Amino acid sequence: MAIFHGISLSDLIKQYSMDQLEDEYDARVLEQAYQAWLKDDKQTVSMQDVLADFDKPAEDE
């Protein structure tokens, strides 16, 4: 299989493992966001409001 991709076997294994980790991370983040959305009575935020948050100066912590 590594030959078909033109990479070494170790690189193929590393890439496959990273893809698996990325997929697992994405699934967990999705589930957390979904649960937060349900807890918030399925409230949404408009894209305009999200973009406006990026224009605000950072607050001091």
Side-chain angles (χ1 to χ4, degrees), residues 10-38:
S10 62
D11 285 342
L12 179 68
I13 292 169
K14 288 177 190 175
Q15 183 63 44
Y16 182 71
S17 297
M18 288 304 297
D19 286 344
Q20 285 180 318
L21 291 172
E22 289 171 356
D23 289 346
E24 182 178 346
Y25 175 81
D26 290 345
R28 288 181 185 216
V29 169
L30 170 67
E31 182 62 27
Q32 288 176 350
Y34 178 68
Q35 292 301 322
W37 179 68
L38 290 176

Side-chain angles (χ1 to χ4, degrees), residues 30-59:
L30 170 67
E31 182 62 27
Q32 288 176 350
Y34 178 68
Q35 292 301 322
W37 179 68
L38 290 176
K39 186 177 179 182
D40 198 27
D41 295 325
K42 300 181 182 178
Q43 295 293 314
T44 60
V45 178
S46 72
M47 182 56 96
Q48 185 176 8
D49 289 344
V50 171
L51 293 175
D53 283 344
F54 285 104
D55 290 334
K56 292 181 183 176
E59 295 180 15

